[in-house]
Amino acid sequence: MFARLAASAVAATVAGLVLSAPTASAATALPANNTAHHCVHHTTGLCGWTHHQRPKNKTETAKCKDASLSYSRHSQGTCSHHHGVKYWFK
């Protein structure tokens, strides 16, 4: 009896994990917390991780040249009114 209950509990857990798996999308948004320790190729600015720079908090995606922080979802126009991007964190 215990073996049947254990087997059904395992089967239900596995089924729940398979059915709730996230699907990939071509236009995925940034996560709520920036945990990636690498940078995407951008035309301006440097990768903060390769220059031993860390974001001030978990949602910062870039640091501007005037030391202000950016939380933009897209690279286009980031820090445009702050003299450009100094470091990227995404």
Side-chain angles (χ1 to χ4, degrees):
M1 173 97 172
F2 179 73
R4 285 186 194 170
L5 289 174
S8 64
V10 169
T13 302
V14 170
L17 290 175
V18 170
L19 295 176
S20 67
T23 56
S25 152
T28 53
L30 287 175
N33 293 328
N34 185 6
T35 57
H37 291 270
H38 64 281
C39 300
V40 186
H41 174 71
H42 295 283
T43 56
T44 61
L46 303 170
C47 180
W49 299 113
T50 58
H51 293 282
H52 305 291
Q53 299 293 315
R54 300 182 76 145
K56 299 290 182 201
N57 56 48
K58 294 180 180 180
T59 56
E60 178 186 354
T61 57
K63 183 174 185 177
C64 302
K65 289 184 180 177
D66 68 352
S68 61
L69 305 178
S70 176
Y71 305 94
S72 65
R73 290 181 169 267
H74 307 286
S75 59
Q76 185 176 6
T78 301
C79 298
S80 60
H81 296 288
H82 299 276
H83 309 290
V85 174
K86 185 173 184 177
Y87 295 115
W88 288 103
F89 296 110
K90 63 177 181 176

